[in-house]
Amino acid sequence: MTYSARPTWVDIDLSALQHNLQQALNLCSSNQRVLAVVKADAYGHGAVQVTRALQRFGVRDFAVATLEEALELRQAGIGDNLLILGGCFPGQEAVFLEFNLMPILMDTATAARLNAEALRRKRQIKVHLKVDSGMGRVGFLPAQLQEFLPQLRQLDGLIIEGFMSHLACADELDSVVTHTQQDQFLMMLQMVRDAGLQPREVHLNNSAGLSAWGCPDCTLSRPGIILYGGLPSPAFSTRLDLQPVMHLRSCIAQLRSLPAGSGISYGHSYHAHDNMLIAVLPIGYADGYNRLFSNRGQGILRGQKVPVVGKVCMDWIMLDVSYVTGVEIGDCVTLLGSMDDISITGDGWAEQLNTIPYEVFCRIGNRIPRRYQSVP
Ligand SMILES: *Cc1c(COP(=O)(O)O)cnc(C)c1O
């Protein structure tokens, strides 16, 4: 049975994605490729569609966080290099080999298990050796690496395809931490080479690192957020020329004239200060429209910004459209992204919500369908 969906959706602008990719490529040195990070459903933009688009734009290397995310791409027929940033958990080894997936390698026990599974199949598996150069999260610390390297060389089932680390503070433009991390990274890379290993790929930089910090020894960089048009931090606003890829829209389901004094939504946290025209949109916090936008959010309607009034509900929000001329039921409101040369950015949402644009994009829920606007 076919039917019309609730008029709430996300437009994904693939030409903006292409523009942002070009910005990332411009930041790469001539010996570097982009490894596009498409974890968390491509930061909420839809992993399969975004990956396919990036393939068309020439990208051949991708990273996801989990095995499930990798399998989603494989099952869609995406056969490119796939790095799994979450590594390989016990019991997943066979699937990694079966689907030709590359885990990051961050501990010796996993190395042994992957090696055993590869040898059992008379095969080898490519891994990217992950070192902790100062992030304080996962990976081999220098002393552990020193101890492990002789062992690692004996594991014939493993190919050390890559050597990598991750930056903790690259989004702070004057951070000394990043300089220390770069030194540690190169020091550990030298340890690996001295042990006789020659990783084909070397990579350190996320979006912030790529934008602000070089890596002459790197063959890859791993941008995520800038591909989607978000800033690594507000400090980058003047350095990067990015376009929003995600545009969240919802159309007016009901218009109501309320007399002065009327309470609006749960708790009556808003009262009409005059006779007011209120538009109701079929979207709410269950869709990722944060409840903190109660009496604080904004939408773009007929070329102007209009405020959210009252509490955001699970499935509805209310907007004051009293000053919009010609407003009608069915008019569509842009809540995130741009319309008519006006925009509400993910960075702006992040500031209002005291978070980062990464979380803003990831949280736009699965209940909202994505529509892909193809490149002209
Ligand atoms: C998520 C992630 C990235 C991408 O980071 P951005 O800040 O979005 O560019 C790169 N590397 C690793 C290891 C990650 O987990």
Side-chain angles (χ1 to χ4, degrees):
M1 201 158 56
T2 57
Y3 58 91
S4 303
R6 169 180 74 145
T8 297
W9 73 96
V10 162
D11 282 321
I12 301 291
D13 180 352
L14 295 176
S15 57
L17 179 70
Q18 185 173 26
H19 169 90
N20 297 336
L21 171 66
Q22 191 55 53
Q23 302 305 305
L25 289 168
N26 292 347
L27 292 161
C28 289
S29 48
S30 58
N31 58 330
Q32 283 167 14
R33 312 193 303 284
V34 159
L35 179 160
V37 179
V38 295
K39 65 190 176 190
D41 203 25
Y43 294 40
H45 293 66
V48 169
Q49 304 281 349
V50 163
T51 303
R52 285 204 182 120
L54 290 169
Q55 282 182 318
R56 285 204 301 283
F57 308 149
V59 179
R60 289 288 165 264
D61 304 89
F62 298 94
V64 293
T66 69
L67 177 57
E68 289 76 8
E69 289 174 351
L71 292 176
E72 186 193 3
L73 296 183
R74 283 288 185 257
Q75 268 142 26
I78 291 157
D80 293 294
N81 294 332
L82 263 186
L83 180 65
I84 289 67
L85 298 169
C88 177
F89 287 93
Q92 297 185 334
E93 300 80 8
V95 189
F96 270 81
L97 273 135
E98 194 70 37
F99 289 88
N100 190 23
L101 302 171
M102 287 183 296
I104 67 155
L105 182 65
M106 56 188 188
D107 65 278
T108 50
T110 308
R113 286 197 316 270
L114 282 166
N115 183 60
E117 182 65 26
L119 295 180
R120 205 176 64 74
R121 293 166 178 251
K122 301 192 167 44
R123 288 209 12 223
Q124 290 186 298
I125 181 167
K126 290 179 180 174
V127 301
H128 286 228
L129 189 61
K130 169 85 173 240
V131 299
D132 185 351
S133 58
M135 171 72 184
R137 192 171 65 180
V138 296
F140 290 94
L141 291 162
Q144 295 175 316
L145 183 67
Q146 191 68 278
E147 193 185 319
F148 174 53
L149 279 171
Q151 257 172 281
L152 183 60
R153 288 200 53 191
Q154 311 300 313
L155 302 178
D156 294 331
L158 302 187
I159 297 173
I160 307 303
E161 174 76 1
F163 174 83
M164 64 180 289
S165 191
H166 193 49
L167 297 172
C169 303
D171 61 325
E172 297 163 31
L173 293 173
D174 54 359
S175 155
V176 290
V177 175
T178 304
H179 290 294
T180 311
Q181 283 203 255
Q182 288 172 322
D183 293 346
Q184 289 286 302
F185 180 69
L186 292 179
M187 187 271 289
M188 286 194 267
L189 177 58
Q190 196 55 50
M191 281 165 59
V192 167
R193 287 180 173 155
D194 289 346
L197 296 168
Q198 290 297 339
R200 194 140 68 119
E201 310 293 357
V202 174
H203 46 113
L204 175 63
N205 281 333
N206 53 5
S207 292
L210 175 62
S211 308
W213 310 80
C215 183
D217 294 80
C218 289
T219 61
L220 294 170
S221 50
R222 305 187 304 265
I225 194 71
I226 58 173
L227 298 178
Y228 308 107
L231 296 172
S233 75
F236 288 74
S237 60
T238 54
R239 287 180 168 251
L240 295 166
D241 163 32
L242 303 172
Q243 295 175 1
V245 177
M246 181 185 281
H247 304 265
L248 174 61
R249 315 201 202 271
S250 185
C251 309
I252 299 174
Q254 195 154 69
L255 267 179
R256 35 233 318 275
S257 298
L258 296 180
S262 306
I264 293 172
S265 193
Y266 288 116
H268 283 188
S269 64
Y270 188 90
H271 286 91
H273 50 76
D274 204 338
N275 292 343
M276 287 179 78
L277 188 62
I278 301 296
V280 185
L281 302 184
I283 183 172
Y285 61 75
D287 300 297
Y289 195 80
N290 203 298
R291 194 163 170 278
L292 294 172
F293 280 139
S294 300
N295 292 310
R296 290 178 67 203
Q298 285 191 313
I300 305 163
L301 171 62
R302 291 185 179 247
Q304 70 189 78
K305 287 195 179 173
V306 289
V308 170
V309 288
K311 293 278 191 225
V312 170
C313 306
M314 188 181 283
D315 314 302
W316 300 107
I317 62 173
M318 274 59 73
L319 300 168
D320 172 12
V321 298
S322 307
Y323 303 102
V324 183
T325 45
V327 57
E328 290 176 11
I329 289 181
D331 279 0
C332 298
V333 178
T334 296
L335 296 164
L336 172 67
S338 53
M339 178 55 89
D340 306 330
D341 290 329
I342 304 176
S343 52
I344 297 176
T345 62
D347 307 306
W349 270 41
E351 196 187 324
Q352 271 189 297
L353 298 171
N354 195 20
T355 183
I356 51 178
Y358 301 71
E359 189 184 7
V360 166
F361 296 140
C362 290
R363 286 203 183 236
I364 301 302
N366 291 337
R367 200 164 78 170
I368 302 186
R370 271 63 172 167
R371 298 184 188 167
Y372 293 86
Q373 311 296 322
S374 55
V375 182

